[in-house]
Amino acid sequence: MMRGALELFIEQGFEQTTALQIAERAGVTERTFFRTFVDKREVLFHASHELQERIVAAIETTPSRAAPLEVVTGAMETATALLEENRAYSRQRAGVIAANKSLQERELLKMHSISQAVADALRERGVPDLQARMAAASGVSFFSIGFELWIADGETRTLAECIREAREQLDALSAG
Amino acid sequence: MMRGALELFIEQGFEQTTALQIAERAGVTERTFFRTFVDKREVLFHASHELQERIVAAIETTPSRAAPLEVVTGAMETATALLEENRAYSRQRAGVIAANKSLQERELLKMHSISQAVADALRERGVPDLQARMAAASGVSFFSIGFELWIADGETRTLAECIREAREQLDALSAG
């Protein structure tokens, strides 16, 4: 249903597209649509919950002596397997989101949810609260900036490599 | 108008409060309300634009040899003068925002806007693009986490001190 919805958003604009149109293109009823998605915006974020679960699962299986920032970066890299094959879709989707403030807000809320889940998972591992929050926020920044790199025109590195690149930039930032 | 609106949101809930009620409590017309705020949510974010301008101005006046992360942290600390006297208001406001997803989304969008403005200001200073984006995202994390500390029950440190505390946590995160 997501690819059909994205096509409609690109063809006629997000605001102009109705849930009924998306349902019809997917060959389901509007009622089925709203059983799956709480609102029209959610169609573009169907993978977000699974991404979050994969990141948390990866954190839980990381050896316990790793530094928090490495735990988070590694978990982000592991979870990218979900997206790696979908660069063209991700690129088009990002264009639709960038053109609509309410979609940007929804995306930021999803990333915030991931940040909170990551902080929870780190606290579970015994990372002190404030460090857990800061590592989670940093991890989401690596992911978001890495994702922007990954969908840029002509980029050929994997999403995991782009996330690593963003993480490595952080080390340069404390140098004058 | 903002304090009256916050009172109404606390008394009767954000969703249940109308723009007309906020306008009436402030002794203005609904039309005046919508000349000032594009929607009801914006009442809680009136300071966000000025905060952004102050942060950018502080970046522009920082000596050019400072490390990007220090430039950003210093600018955040400088800009807190705007909020430092309003801890009780900020605490109540945060409670209202936490109870409403659409307000959380708006807050995240405001912080994202600040992040983009900070990245622009850093690029203006010659910081490479990717470093500028990463430093901006980190700065917003320092601010957001510092803000959470500052409004916690019993916290007596200034907002600037709480932001510095968040920034210092980052150094601990690379250690195993």
Side-chain angles (χ1 to χ4, degrees):
Chain A
M1 185 144 27
M2 293 80 62
R3 284 175 194 275
L6 184 62
E7 285 167 18
L8 285 166
F9 296 157
I10 291 168
E11 286 163 26
Q12 56 190 34
F14 174 76
E15 293 295 353
Q16 289 72 40
T17 300
T18 64
L20 179 60
Q21 290 173 325
I22 298 168
E24 280 175 350
R25 184 164 295 201
V28 301
T29 64
E30 193 175 10
R31 202 167 147 190
T32 298
F33 177 89
F34 283 115
R35 262 204 301 268
T36 315
F37 305 108
V38 296
D39 62 31
K40 198 173 60 170
R41 292 191 277 170
E42 282 296 312
V43 184
L44 291 175
F45 301 99
H46 71 287
S48 159
H49 186 68
E50 192 177 347
L51 180 66
Q52 178 171 318
E53 287 188 339
R54 287 191 186 205
I55 292 168
V56 168
I59 291 173
E60 287 167 356
T61 57
T62 306
S64 63
R65 301 196 66 86
L69 219 49
E70 274 316 300
V71 174
V72 170
T73 310
M76 296 284 173
E77 291 171 322
T78 302
T80 57
L82 184 65
L83 304 168
E84 208 67 77
E85 300 306 309
N86 300 314
R87 193 181 324 224
Y89 169 84
S90 298
R91 200 173 265 154
Q92 291 189 308
R93 173 182 168 279
V96 171
I97 292 172
N100 184 291
K101 267 206 171 8
S102 78
L103 289 173
Q104 285 174 47
E105 287 186 333
R106 183 59 55 91
E107 176 157 66
L108 292 166
L109 192 66
K110 296 294 182 188
M111 296 312 293
H112 186 64
S113 167
I114 291 175
S115 178
Q116 290 183 313
V118 166
D120 284 345
L122 291 173
R123 278 188 289 262
E124 280 288 315
R125 292 165 62 89
V127 176
D129 174 54
L130 197 52
Q131 282 189 32
R133 283 194 263 171
M134 196 65 228
S138 299
V140 166
S141 298
F142 303 153
F143 185 91
S144 298
I145 293 171
F147 193 87
E148 285 171 16
L149 291 176
W150 180 63
I151 60 171
D153 284 341
E155 180 60 58
T156 56
R157 290 173 296 180
T158 64
L159 177 53
E161 287 167 342
C162 291
I163 289 171
R164 178 59 55 179
E165 165 75 11
R167 188 261 171 277
E168 285 171 0
Q169 290 299 319
L170 191 62
D171 299 325
L173 292 178
S174 300
Chain B
M1 185 142 28
M2 294 78 62
R3 283 174 194 277
L6 184 61
E7 285 166 17
L8 284 166
F9 296 157
I10 292 168
E11 286 163 26
Q12 58 190 33
F14 173 76
E15 292 295 352
Q16 290 71 39
T17 301
T18 65
L20 180 59
Q21 289 174 324
I22 298 168
E24 280 176 349
R25 184 164 294 201
V28 302
T29 63
E30 192 175 10
R31 201 167 147 191
T32 298
F33 178 89
F34 283 115
R35 263 205 302 267
T36 315
F37 305 107
V38 295
D39 62 30
K40 199 173 61 169
R41 293 191 276 171
E42 282 296 312
V43 185
L44 291 175
F45 301 99
H46 71 287
S48 159
H49 186 68
E50 191 178 347
L51 180 66
Q52 179 171 317
E53 288 188 338
R54 288 189 185 204
I55 292 168
V56 168
I59 291 172
E60 287 168 354
T61 57
T62 306
S64 62
R65 300 197 65 87
L69 219 49
E70 275 315 301
V71 173
V72 170
T73 310
M76 297 284 173
E77 291 171 321
T78 302
T80 57
L82 184 65
L83 303 169
E84 208 65 78
E85 299 305 309
N86 299 315
R87 191 176 331 219
Y89 169 84
S90 298
R91 200 173 266 154
Q92 290 189 308
R93 174 182 167 278
V96 171
I97 293 172
N100 185 292
K101 269 209 168 10
S102 77
L103 289 172
Q104 286 173 45
E105 288 185 333
R106 183 60 55 90
E107 176 157 66
L108 291 166
L109 191 66
K110 296 294 182 186
M111 296 313 293
H112 186 65
S113 166
I114 291 176
S115 179
Q116 290 183 311
V118 166
D120 284 344
L122 290 174
R123 279 188 287 262
E124 279 289 315
R125 292 165 62 90
V127 177
D129 174 53
L130 197 51
Q131 281 189 32
R133 283 194 263 170
M134 196 64 229
S138 299
V140 166
S141 297
F142 304 154
F143 186 90
S144 297
I145 293 171
F147 194 87
E148 285 171 16
L149 292 176
W150 180 63
I151 59 170
D153 285 341
E155 180 60 61
T156 56
R157 289 173 297 180
T158 65
L159 176 54
E161 286 167 343
C162 290
I163 289 171
R164 177 60 56 180
E165 165 75 10
R167 189 261 170 278
E168 285 171 359
Q169 290 299 319
L170 191 62
D171 298 325
L173 291 178
S174 301

